[in-house]
Amino acid sequence: MISIFLLQWQRFRREPLLVLSFFGLTIFFVFFLAGSANTNQITVQTYLEDDVSQSSADEWLTVLNQSETFRFELTEEEDARSAVMNGEASLALQLRNDNYRILVTVDDQNYQLVNGYVQQVFQEELRLAEVESSLESVEIRDTIAQELEEPVLTVTSDTIAGDDNGFLYDARLHTLFGMTLFFSVYTMMFSLTNVAEEKRLGTWDRLIVSPLRKWEVYLGHLLYCFLIGFLQILTIFLFFEYVFQFNIGANFGAILLIIACYAFAIVSVGMLLIGLVRTTQQLQAVIPIVATAMAMIGGAFWPVEIVSNEIMIILSKAMPIFYGMEALKGVAYLDQGILEISEPLAIMFLFGVFSMGIGINLMERRAS
Amino acid sequence: MLETEELSKQFKGKIAVEGVNLHLERGESVGLLGPNGAGKSTTISMISSLIKPTSGDVLLDGKNVIKDPGKIRRVLGVVPQEIALYEELTAYENLKFFGRIYGLRGKALEKNIEEVFELVGLTDRQKDIVKTYSGGMKRRINIAAALLHEPEVLIMDEPTVGIDPQSRSHILEMVRELNLKKGMTVLYTSHYMEEVERLCDRVYIMDHGRIISSGTKDELKSILSSEETIMIDLDRPYPDLYNDLKQHDGILQTMETETGLKLIVPKGSRLLGELFQIADRHQAKVVNVHVQTPTLEDVFLHLTGRKLRD
Ligand SMILES: Nc1ncnc2c1ncn2[C@@H]1O[C@H](COP(=O)(O)OP(=O)(O)OP(=O)(O)O)[C@@H](O)[C@H]1O
Ligand SMILES: [Mg+2]
């Protein structure tokens, strides 16, 4: 069994291109898709008039930075001015006591957006301050905040992006999880074609007539495919967590367990496919179809929540990738622990056991 | 030491092998001869426990090994008909792997690898990737991979198909040596009569899934002891002459060869004169005539009415 397992690594070392390209593609896609989700944020360099105190500046920045669209960064006046002069930034914001100025070179769309937003924030704040001082009550803010949290009437509006209503969605993390799980399907299943390849080349027969037992041959191959998929997903997660500051959640043990269950499920589906098709060529044709369909339906490309078609929603529940995404999102968005994600984990595991059983059975039946 | 009893195999109702009885004594070199599709590979696959027979048994030292193939797998070395190697690895890496799956490790493994490379004459190419090998070299490694664990019985399925005469000669030499010097029992499958004549003590002839004849080379040839072969070379094919001879009562078998015709006739029949007359009638130009004692090829022709190779 170990011999078979080691042999696959040896063969991988000689021809690593296919697997490495899936690895590279994942990084490429996550980087550009999630990267562009990030640049939607407009950074506004912000500096202070001389008589503005640091503490009131901090207060303003906190209020201003509540928006997802803008990021206000405190800098020195000189830096901000020269950035605008040099064209590195299209505008800069100067905070004054109870007022602001915007430094612009051209009257572009960003200016309209920033100005509109800052104006709104200032007006709201000033109005609140006015009410506060006239009522001489410091609690007015809390009362208003409380009122807002327990409204008499709730209006929910659903939008496609649905950023603030409906469901949890983080474009960067979703891209990372979706793309990584999607491309790992290719890595694992193409590695599994080694089994079909061995049957075609006749080396399989050599293994069978040797004293090795058949389960050892299967296990050696499966272990290799599992591990290469597992390592690919893990490396990419770690890469984006540490190099690009993605926050995939604090529960590392849970993440490992999710990757393991997912990799097992996918390797098993791969075995099922090998059991179903006749030739290596057919297998190579079927893998991209299965991978893409599974990723689309299972919510790796876009959240299943935006799909309204009943059939698609039911179908998504039949995709192991769906449960992988659910579990990962649970850990990353909601800080869920292993116990809370045990359901998707168990489903992936059972999915794996069944597919594997049927796959090996089909293959053995064909052989005899 | 190794025998089969009424071994049969059907693929989806189609008979590939039927009622085959073979036996190999220790140290013997036995040939299994038959044309394409005769069922040679299927028979070998059943002996080596690759596929299960539809019925019949395989016995090793009198013990049935179909239910528990573990025993026979250690004893056998099987050279498959198609080259079955990992082509992206080096020859050395291939042999190391095939040695390991037979449980060889460490020094013993290295020693055997070295010996086997020497035997197949590829010691200086062992670190090369198999993909870069010639067909003949791949064939030799294909054989080498079955020898690492020093099998008691070596089963070879047409190991010389599609290679140059030199490599072929080397392989035959090597197998003979293994058989004579190391006492390895050999079952050699082929549809090349001359290979089997050169290599084997005893021969089974197979056709349409059945053993149609067996015995030592001399026994088989004595089937034809009352017959002789006449080879007639002609300047070009004469279909009418061929048809005429086919219907001739005094001729047992007639067939076309590359250079003319081959006839099997009862020994001592004085046909030559008549043959020339018939040839004259068809205005055929006879280039050469040769009367010879039968070969195994002729035995096959006699038994089946067909050539061994198409
Ligand atoms: N897996 C299979 N499924 C169906 N039919 C098969 C299978 N293997 C062999 N056969 C059939 O069984 C018959 C015997 O085949 P086999 O390969 O044993 O012949 P062979 O003597 O080895 O021929 P060759 O000299 O071409 O190698 C053939 O008619 C072949 O078509
Ligand atoms: Mg064959």
Side-chain angles (χ1 to χ4, degrees), chain B residues 37 39-42 81 157-158 189:
Chain B
K40 305 183 297 291
S41 296
T42 308
Q81 182 169 356
D157 195 352
E158 305 194 30
T189 294

Side-chain angles (χ1 to χ4, degrees), chain A residues 160-225:
Chain A
I160 291 287
D163 278 5
D164 13 51
N165 297 302
F167 62 94
L168 282 164
Y169 177 63
D170 178 322
R172 296 176 71 198
L173 282 178
H174 194 276
T175 309
L176 172 65
F177 294 155
M179 285 296 147
T180 311
L181 294 193
F182 169 61
F183 281 111
S184 69
V185 175
Y186 281 86
T187 300
M188 286 184 269
M189 289 194 178
F190 272 110
S191 302
L192 257 191
T193 56
N194 278 358
V195 176
E197 219 18 42
E198 291 220 41
K199 294 200 169 173
R200 192 176 68 79
L201 290 174
T203 44
W204 184 265
D205 291 349
R206 278 216 135 112
L207 304 181
I208 297 306
V209 302
S210 82
L212 281 180
R213 260 151 300 174
K214 204 176 265 180
W215 64 262
E216 294 183 285
V217 180
Y218 276 120
L219 202 62
H221 272 288
L222 293 173
L223 208 61
Y224 163 76
C225 297

Side-chain angles (χ1 to χ4, degrees), chain B residues 8 21 25 37 43 64 80 87-88 113 117 126 164 173 182 184 193 199 207 216 244 261 283 294-295 299 308-309:
Chain B
S8 303
N21 297 301
E25 296 308 323
T43 305
N64 195 325
E87 301 225 338
E88 68 271 35
I113 292 176
F117 267 123
Q126 57 176 296
D164 57 291
E173 206 63 39
K182 294 211 165 178
M184 209 176 266
M193 201 54 83
L199 215 58
D207 193 28
T216 62
D244 236 19
L261 297 168
Q283 288 166 1
T295 62
V299 176
L308 197 51
R309 266 173 288 158

Side-chain angles (χ1 to χ4, degrees), chain A residues 11 14-15 198 206 208, chain B residues 84 86 88 93 131 142:
Chain A
R11 298 176 68 188
R14 280 285 147 71
E15 290 182 346
E198 291 220 41
R206 278 216 135 112
I208 297 306
Chain B
Y86 301 102
E88 68 271 35
E93 286 166 336
K131 218 182 275 175
N142 199 40

Side-chain angles (χ1 to χ4, degrees), chain A residues 95-166:
Chain A
L95 288 178
R96 302 174 168 194
N97 285 322
D98 309 342
N99 208 342
Y100 67 95
R101 282 283 178 279
I102 292 177
L103 184 68
V104 282
T105 47
V106 280
D107 184 0
D108 68 352
Q109 194 196 1
N110 277 1
Y111 167 67
Q112 309 283 353
L113 285 170
V114 174
N115 191 28
Y117 172 67
V118 177
Q119 196 172 0
Q120 188 198 340
V121 172
F122 264 79
Q123 273 170 5
E124 244 170 56
E125 277 301 310
L126 292 178
R127 210 170 295 149
L128 277 171
E130 222 170 282
V131 175
E132 235 170 349
S133 60
S134 69
L135 286 179
E136 290 177 358
S137 147
V138 213
E139 273 104 59
I140 184 73
R141 273 171 193 269
D142 297 339
T143 323
I144 291 177
Q146 224 165 353
E147 289 292 323
L148 281 174
E149 264 175 30
E150 296 158 12
V152 191
L153 186 73
T154 333
V155 180
T156 327
S157 65
D158 275 319
T159 57
I160 291 287
D163 278 5
D164 13 51
N165 297 302

